[in-house]
Amino acid sequence: MIKNQINIKIDSEVKSFSAGTVLMYQEVDKLLSISKIIKNYNLKEKGVPLEDCIKFLVCGVLDQKRSVREIHNNKDTLGKYIGEELSKTVLKTLYRALKTIGPKGEKIYSELNSKFEKICEVVILQNNIDYSSTYFEGEKVTIAKHGY
């Protein structure tokens, strides 16, 4: 096995995917307890655990995926590795995860930021979040018109 590759067996077939992003996420999760913070908000009670959905989405973005749909296309490899339930999920589940975490996003970000400052003994004076690559999918988003 190549060092930065994970092989998993799916229906008697071995599939591979890049391991770097998921291993990095796991290390950051150990440091900042991202999964525990998400669990503590009790935002989702049934189905695929919200922390697994977020891990799957973050790893997908770190792996250069450009959309939730493109990330979802990896459910049979990366998704299955993160959690068996993710390999059976539908695309709507990932969109719902984002919608669910949205209202608590600032609080979660603030907790992660405070934890990071404490662990690294730094003070972050300014955070800049780049939304310039944000785009919409679908037909029903009324604000998703040219110029917005």
Side-chain angles (χ1 to χ4, degrees), residues 34-90:
I34 300 167
S35 296
K36 185 177 178 185
I37 289 171
I38 292 170
K39 277 184 197 176
N40 287 343
Y41 279 93
N42 296 318
L43 298 173
K44 192 168 187 273
E45 295 177 9
K46 59 182 183 175
V48 181
L50 184 59
E51 58 276 9
D52 286 354
C53 291
I54 299 304
K55 181 178 183 177
F56 185 38
L57 289 165
V58 169
C59 289
V61 169
L62 292 173
D63 201 28
Q64 308 281 318
K65 303 295 184 258
R66 299 290 179 209
S67 68
V68 174
R69 183 178 308 280
E70 193 176 352
I71 293 167
H72 183 259
N73 289 340
N74 289 327
K75 69 180 185 172
D76 291 334
T77 52
L78 176 60
K80 186 173 181 119
Y81 179 78
I82 291 172
E84 184 66 35
E85 295 159 318
L86 279 169
S87 68
K88 299 171 188 148
T89 192
V90 294

Side-chain angles (χ1 to χ4, degrees), residues 1-8 15-28 55 58-60 62-65 74 77-79 81-82:
M1 182 166 79
I2 299 172
K3 188 176 183 182
N4 292 325
Q5 179 177 311
I6 294 176
N7 296 317
I8 60 173
K15 295 193 177 188
S16 301
F17 63 94
S18 173
T21 56
V22 73
L23 296 175
M24 180 173 63
Y25 186 93
Q26 288 171 339
E27 289 302 311
V28 172
K55 181 178 183 177
V58 169
C59 289
L62 292 173
D63 201 28
Q64 308 281 318
K65 303 295 184 258
N74 289 327
T77 52
L78 176 60
Y81 179 78
I82 291 172

Side-chain angles (χ1 to χ4, degrees), residues 58-143:
V58 169
C59 289
V61 169
L62 292 173
D63 201 28
Q64 308 281 318
K65 303 295 184 258
R66 299 290 179 209
S67 68
V68 174
R69 183 178 308 280
E70 193 176 352
I71 293 167
H72 183 259
N73 289 340
N74 289 327
K75 69 180 185 172
D76 291 334
T77 52
L78 176 60
K80 186 173 181 119
Y81 179 78
I82 291 172
E84 184 66 35
E85 295 159 318
L86 279 169
S87 68
K88 299 171 188 148
T89 192
V90 294
L91 184 60
K92 271 186 180 178
T93 303
L94 297 179
Y95 284 115
R96 286 184 186 134
L98 291 172
K99 185 177 179 180
T100 300
I101 206 162
K104 299 290 183 188
E106 281 188 48
K107 288 183 179 180
I108 292 169
Y109 181 79
S110 180
E111 278 187 58
L112 292 171
N113 201 46
S114 295
K115 219 168 190 181
F116 180 81
E117 286 180 331
K118 186 176 180 180
I119 291 167
C120 296
E121 298 178 357
V122 297
V123 176
I124 298 174
L125 300 175
Q126 181 176 346
N127 291 313
N128 297 318
I129 299 173
D130 179 11
Y131 291 104
S132 63
S133 295
T134 303
Y135 75 95
F136 299 96
E137 290 184 10
E139 305 288 326
K140 296 182 181 182
V141 183
T142 55
I143 197 169

